[in-house]
Amino acid sequence: MKIVVSRLDEFPPGERRIVQAGRRSIGVFRVGDRFYAINNHCPHMGGPLCLGRTKPWVSSTGPGEYAMAEEEALVACPWHGWEYDLETGQSFLGPGEPPARAYTVSVEPRVEEGTVAADQVSAPEPGAKGGRRPGPYVTETYPVHVEDAYVVVETSPSPAVKPDPVGGAS
């Protein structure tokens, strides 16, 4: 099913629209020249996800150093702050849900100032994005495109991918 969201010229960058598709509520966000559509239901506790604040990605190369993306691509649920990537629907830990990690502490020989000991460098976790740890929830996303100067959301399920026949099955 295609849902016409808005005329393109009436949907400026930084804006969002919430549309109904039957029982579904879908938030459509315009970030620069890109569009994202995401389910307006937080998988964590059912909050109105698309009414939350949007945020840019923040990345860090080390303590005290950070860079913010120029465009916002995260939305935080207004109920509990769970953050979701607008592109993938992947959740990230919210401000009220910081992970509690324990670290081993030991006394080591002195390391020259400005250097980092090899055992202090850790590899990023699988699925980490922008230094953030993926959360347990993923919300539904939808393809969005511009068709004849209208922003359109596609809610039809994607066709199932058929596996290749093995060994030339007949």
Side-chain angles (χ1 to χ4, degrees), residues 1-8 11 17 19-20 28 145 147-154:
M1 173 196 293
K2 289 183 177 180
I3 303 168
V4 177
V5 176
S6 171
R7 287 186 47 86
L8 179 61
F11 199 156
R17 303 280 190 275
V19 295
Q20 288 293 133
V28 182
H145 62 276
E147 186 175 307
D148 296 329
Y150 287 92
V151 178
V152 177
V153 173
E154 181 66 50

Side-chain angles (χ1 to χ4, degrees), residues 119-146:
D119 62 347
Q120 294 176 326
V121 177
S122 60
E125 293 183 35
K129 186 172 181 180
R132 293 174 173 241
R133 192 171 136 207
Y137 306 109
V138 178
T139 192
E140 195 171 9
T141 60
Y142 304 92
V144 184
H145 62 276
V146 176

Side-chain angles (χ1 to χ4, degrees), residues 20 23 29 97 105 117:
Q20 288 293 133
R23 294 174 35 187
F29 295 80
E97 307 273 350
V105 178

